[in-house]
Amino acid sequence: MKAITVEPKRPGTARFEDVPEPDASEGSVLVEAVAVGVCGTDVEIVEGKYGWAPPGQNRLVLGHESLGRVIDSGPGSSLKEGDLVVGIVRRPDPVPCPSCAVGEWDMCRNGQYTERGIKQIHGFMSERWRIEPEYVIKVDPGLGMLGVLLEPTTVIAKAFEQVLMVGQRSFWEPETVLVTGAGPIGLLAAGVACLGGYEVHVLDRMETGLKPELVRALGATYHSGSAADLDFEPDVIVECTGAGPVIAGSTEKIRAGGIICLTGIGSGGFVNRAVGDVAAAVVLKNNVLIGSVNANKRHWYKASERLARLDRKWLSRLITRREKPENFQQALERTPDDIKVVIQFSEI
Ligand SMILES: [Zn+2]
């Protein structure tokens, strides 16, 4: 079969090539790939910045935003042939640490977890893949191709859960949610926040185009420019850019007692405010800054419930391009009009 593979930490080594069929040791459920979403992590792996091949191998099958169709459900599984499924990405560390031991592998404490398509386990960008039944999430069949958005939605399901749990530390009736960044994660965050009945605002650099349209289609308010110019104080900020100035601006704008959940990964220092100033703003308003990454099984179930409730026409506009596996290089290149690009392996 064919797969998109890369030699991690070596730029320019990605190719669409013949590989052996998935090994039975990878799981009793055999799945035919339908589509795999592309995200910044895949681009970084192909650029050689990140990624680990399975032990004893030098190439890694890419891809962690999966959607597939069950070919063989294997013994002892409630799945049926033809079911649409998505694979959970992370696996607990082998020790396991206390978090992994209770199934919260997203909170792994020793960093020895593994991840499909990223860290030591092959991903989903192959014509067929295998998976353990306990790591399969069945997708609402009515979602069809939109099931490929489940993995990014898990990031949001966890972020909102964390925010609501932390909010319980004091009197807490959040009304206004600001999402910074209108990429796929930001737009899904806005969609999920609208389901929760909040007044939702989205901030991004783009002034026109699909992003503002998609935000307004949700009934939410779109803002372009800097956080410092916003004329309201959100109770919750879901930060999806990882950009220092946006984070610093968020700490200025958040309401007293409000919570900022950081989901973006950036680098470098704060450009326009010292860390001490940011800390002072957080202290004086009793704010909480939470980092949130990955998701455990509970979040996958929550995400699949939220995704099924979002408007299908709206979700379908998030997938702005579909590429064939042999054209994976084009799929990795972002154009300004792209929100989510998917590599399509088979018809749905
Ligand atoms: Zn762990």
Side-chain angles (χ1 to χ4, degrees):
M1 67 167 183
K2 294 263 191 197
I4 299 166
T5 70
V6 63
E7 190 175 333
K9 312 260 173 66
R10 288 197 57 197
T13 57
R15 50 182 192 247
F16 183 52
E17 64 173 350
D18 284 311
V19 298
E21 288 290 326
D23 194 82
S25 66
E26 292 171 23
S28 55
V29 181
L30 180 63
V31 178
E32 172 192 28
V34 171
V36 186
V38 174
C39 86
T41 303
D42 300 306
V43 175
E44 288 188 347
I45 294 171
V46 169
E47 287 173 347
K49 292 179 183 162
Y50 201 71
W52 296 262
Q57 301 183 38
N58 55 11
R59 295 188 74 83
L60 171 74
V61 176
L62 264 181
H64 57 277
E65 298 185 4
S66 62
L67 175 67
R69 198 168 15 233
V70 173
I71 300 174
D72 181 356
S73 56
S77 149
S78 59
L79 293 164
K80 293 188 305 291
E81 197 183 315
D83 280 347
L84 280 182
V85 293
V86 171
I88 292 179
V89 178
R90 193 176 281 196
R91 298 291 177 277
D93 79 76
V95 175
C97 76
S99 296
C100 287
V102 299
E104 295 191 348
W105 50 71
D106 55 316
M107 305 294 284
C108 182
R109 300 186 197 183
N110 62 24
Q112 294 179 47
Y113 61 81
T114 53
E115 287 178 331
R116 293 200 65 155
I118 302 171
K119 191 167 181 266
Q120 299 169 334
I121 327 177
H122 287 312
F124 302 107
M125 286 187 189
S126 52
E127 290 177 307
R128 284 169 290 284
W129 39 269
R130 283 190 170 272
I131 189 161
E132 317 88 319
E134 62 273 30
Y135 290 99
V136 175
I137 302 291
K138 209 170 138 181
V139 174
D140 183 324
L143 278 169
M145 179 61 88
L146 304 173
V148 79
L149 298 170
L150 182 57
E151 195 278 343
T153 309
T154 65
V155 172
I156 292 309
K158 176 178 173 185
F160 277 109
E161 179 196 79
Q162 298 283 299
V163 166
L164 296 176
M165 287 166 109
V166 171
Q168 298 310 310
R169 74 199 167 118
S170 62
F171 174 77
W172 174 245
E173 286 182 355
E175 291 168 358
T176 311
V177 175
L178 169 67
V179 177
T180 53
I185 297 276
L187 288 166
L188 287 167
V192 169
C194 286
L195 291 178
Y198 301 106
E199 180 189 318
V200 179
H201 298 258
V202 178
L203 174 73
D204 192 274
R205 283 179 298 194
M206 300 294 280
E207 288 178 359
T208 55
L210 187 55
K211 287 176 176 182
E213 277 175 37
L214 285 167
V215 170
R216 290 181 192 124
L218 282 171
T221 309
Y222 186 86
H223 307 263
S224 62
S226 87
D229 298 332
L230 297 173
D231 59 356
F232 64 97
E233 294 184 334
D235 298 296
V236 174
I237 299 180
V238 181
E239 206 298 301
C240 306
T241 71
V246 180
I247 297 164
S250 297
T251 62
E252 242 174 90
K253 280 292 155 184
I254 188 84
R255 181 173 290 173
I259 299 171
I260 302 174
C261 186
L262 307 174
T263 69
I265 299 171
S267 61
F270 289 138
V271 175
N272 57 358
R273 290 185 77 200
V275 174
D277 292 346
V278 169
V282 171
V283 170
L284 293 170
K285 291 190 291 184
N286 285 295
N287 295 135
V288 182
L289 283 176
I290 334 165
S292 180
V293 72
N294 199 258
N296 65 45
K297 204 167 191 175
R298 179 172 81 242
H299 308 124
W300 282 81
Y301 278 108
K302 287 185 177 185
S304 87
E305 185 271 338
R306 304 293 188 278
L307 197 62
R309 278 167 57 204
L310 281 166
D311 181 75
R312 308 251 155 115
K313 267 202 184 127
W314 183 82
L315 285 173
S316 66
R317 296 177 73 195
L318 300 185
I319 300 177
T320 46
R321 199 149 52 92
R322 300 180 188 192
E323 294 283 2
K324 291 181 176 156
E326 53 268 39
N327 298 334
F328 73 92
Q329 292 287 6
Q330 278 104 297
L332 293 168
E333 281 160 27
R334 272 253 175 92
T335 74
D337 298 326
D338 280 331
I339 292 175
K340 176 57 71 184
V341 178
V342 304
I343 297 177
Q344 190 167 352
F345 281 82
S346 62
E347 289 302 318
I348 186 133

